Amino acid sequence: MKPISPNHPPAHPAHPAHPAHPAPAAHPAPWVPPSETEQLLHEATLRGDARAQLAALAGAELYIPAPRAEVDAKPDTITWRAHHDPSGFVCRPVLTRGMLPAWHPDWVFHGVSLRWVAEFGWPDAGMFLGVNVGTPGQLLLPATPTERALWQRAYAENDRLPENRLLALRHGALHGPLAYGLACGAHLAIGNAVPWNEVGTVYREYTTERDLLRDSWGITGHAEWRKQLDALLDARNSPPEPDFVLRTREQLAAGIGELPPADLWRETAAGHAQDLGADADSVKGIEDLVRRIMRYEARFRADGLLPPDGRVRTTVAYDYGRAVNLARWGLSARYCAPADAEQAIVYAGALSKSAHRSWEEFSAGYSLGRVLRFDEEEYGPFYEKNVLAHRLLAESEGSPWRHIPWR
């Protein structure tokens, strides 16, 4: 198993629209791999380490471009066309995530694994697997039966981490209003192991994205996407009761000059609900909700989501954080254009800034909204993922919390 140099055979010129491929200059800057996967591949190639090349590919999703009309017509079929390079070699091309081209309404991408690639029907000789062909990170691997068996072994031996990672693209948004808004969606980006700072051609692969939007949100087109997005930006997707009781506590604290005792908070919230016409079951539900919030806040303090004397003032962060991701999902599914997604992301960031006082406060509000919706005080996966995301964002050197000020 020999590593193949990215310069042998020579590649065709880089795609002119790709942000990582600057125009030629008299003294071009060294190529900087845009994400962890390309960095691992680049370093392995420089070392001549074929095993590490395959390990990096085994741990990543690989992308095959396709005309959108073709995929819409046959969403369960992947047509993988050979690339005949002007320099003479023939390959079947795949792209790693950091090397995907700019968003285009008529071109989408299938997501595949190295195992899928290895099991594809290949000719016995004469063809390469082309990784990031035509870019500075090009890698060409012979696709003989012996080599494909090594690909399958690499896939079996190397871990794939499909979720709960803080990732970023070096050419993604890192500063300014767009980056700020994207950082407000970082919890779900971590959960899905996608770069937090990307507004690009893929969030999840195209057919998966459309299936999930249909099944989870009832979205099959632009109008439905816009309706759901507006509900999130208006904080109307989540139940209103949590913010109702949290506002009651804040009003009491402002009135008496200190945090109200639990009994006073519970009784006042229940009385307000009754005054607004709530029936007996709804009033009891408000009392139970106050107790649940107090138990979650105590657990948040123990696990570091809140400081020892901290509390959650609002849960609107949960809707705003999901709005950021719904904008990205709509773009990935081709239900909106980049300008629509970016406008929504920037607006969600502005709303978040107006409702919270710090990244940590935003995160605690997001987490409470999520667990009240789904966790049922089981402190299971919904809770654990919130804790992990909060810690990654609070402690990681590459976290947006470290280089994007809240105010």
Side-chain angles (χ1 to χ4, degrees):
M1 176 175 57
K2 295 182 178 179
I4 304 298
S5 165
N7 296 317
H8 177 73
H12 62 73
H15 192 296
H18 198 288
H21 313 147
H27 300 285
W31 179 66
V32 178
S35 78
E36 179 184 34
T37 297
E38 294 81 31
Q39 185 76 42
L40 291 172
L41 285 171
H42 183 59
E43 292 173 352
T45 300
L46 291 177
R47 295 195 308 270
D49 188 341
R51 187 178 297 275
Q53 289 174 338
L54 293 183
L57 293 173
E61 187 166 45
L62 307 173
Y63 297 94
I64 296 173
R68 176 182 168 188
E70 176 183 278
V71 181
D72 287 345
K74 295 182 178 180
D76 297 326
T77 301
I78 299 178
T79 301
W80 195 9
R81 295 172 176 84
H83 168 74
H84 296 260
D85 196 83
S87 64
F89 69 88
V90 181
C91 71
R92 294 195 186 276
V94 295
L95 293 165
T96 55
R97 187 182 189 101
M99 304 303 287
L100 288 168
W103 184 93
H104 191 285
D106 299 326
W107 280 91
V108 297
F109 293 84
H110 298 288
V112 299
S113 67
L114 185 62
R115 181 176 64 183
W116 184 94
V117 168
E119 293 173 351
F120 188 80
W122 292 81
D124 288 340
M127 187 176 288
F128 294 93
L129 170 64
V131 182
N132 300 326
V133 173
T135 78
Q138 176 178 295
L139 179 66
L140 296 167
L141 301 175
T144 64
T146 300
E147 295 295 330
R148 297 202 305 275
L150 293 174
W151 302 353
Q152 290 181 311
R153 182 187 300 174
Y155 186 84
E157 293 177 348
N158 289 276
D159 292 334
R160 286 154 300 285
L161 302 174
E163 55 185 25
N164 300 326
R165 289 193 294 163
L166 177 60
L167 302 173
L169 293 181
R170 293 189 176 101
H171 60 250
L174 293 170
H175 303 283
L178 181 60
Y180 190 104
L182 285 165
C184 293
H187 288 76
L188 276 175
I190 289 170
N192 290 303
V194 302
W196 70 264
N197 64 333
E198 183 181 27
V199 187
T201 192
V202 166
Y203 187 98
R204 289 170 289 241
E205 65 106 23
Y206 177 71
T207 56
T208 299
E209 197 76 81
R210 289 169 77 94
D211 289 346
L212 288 171
L213 286 175
R214 180 196 63 219
D215 296 343
S216 300
W217 294 81
I219 294 174
T220 58
H222 174 81
E224 293 153 325
W225 170 81
R226 186 74 240 184
K227 180 180 179 181
Q228 293 287 2
L229 179 66
D230 287 343
L232 289 168
L233 292 171
D234 293 340
R236 291 186 285 106
N237 180 281
S238 294
E241 290 81 5
D243 262 29
F244 173 81
V245 301
L246 292 173
R247 280 197 305 271
T248 299
R249 180 169 64 181
E250 294 308 304
Q251 290 165 355
L252 283 169
I256 65 177
E258 60 183 10
L259 201 63
D263 289 345
L264 177 60
W265 178 23
R266 185 174 63 253
E267 292 166 2
T268 303
H272 284 174
Q274 194 168 23
D275 292 343
L276 292 170
D279 59 26
D281 287 344
S282 298
V283 171
K284 183 178 183 304
I286 290 295
E287 293 176 332
D288 291 343
L289 179 58
V290 169
R291 296 185 181 97
R292 288 179 66 203
I293 289 175
M294 292 183 66
R295 290 191 291 269
Y296 270 122
E297 287 182 325
R299 184 66 176 267
F300 280 15
R301 295 183 195 103
D303 289 337
L305 274 73
L306 283 171
D309 59 347
R311 65 184 188 272
V312 176
R313 292 172 170 81
T314 176
T315 60
V316 293
Y318 184 50
D319 275 8
Y320 297 157
R322 286 185 297 155
V324 171
N325 287 275
L326 188 64
R328 294 181 64 183
W329 300 336
L331 188 63
S332 181
R334 303 308 189 264
Y335 291 146
C336 68
D340 300 319
E342 292 180 9
Q343 182 182 46
I345 291 166
V346 170
Y347 185 44
L351 291 170
S352 299
K353 183 182 291 189
S354 68
H356 303 86
R357 300 179 298 184
S358 68
W359 287 115
E360 291 81 3
E361 185 178 288
F362 172 89
S363 180
Y366 176 95
S367 298
L368 183 61
R370 185 168 174 81
V371 297
L372 288 175
R373 188 82 172 266
F374 295 113
D375 182 61
E376 299 295 336
E377 288 193 89
E378 294 178 0
Y379 301 94
F382 285 104
Y383 181 84
E384 293 166 355
K385 289 180 180 180
N386 284 332
V387 174
L388 177 58
H390 184 96
R391 288 176 179 169
L392 285 172
L393 289 163
E395 300 170 7
S396 299
E397 188 64 33
S399 167
W401 294 7
R402 296 287 186 94
H403 59 79
I404 302 177
W406 181 258
R407 292 294 183 189

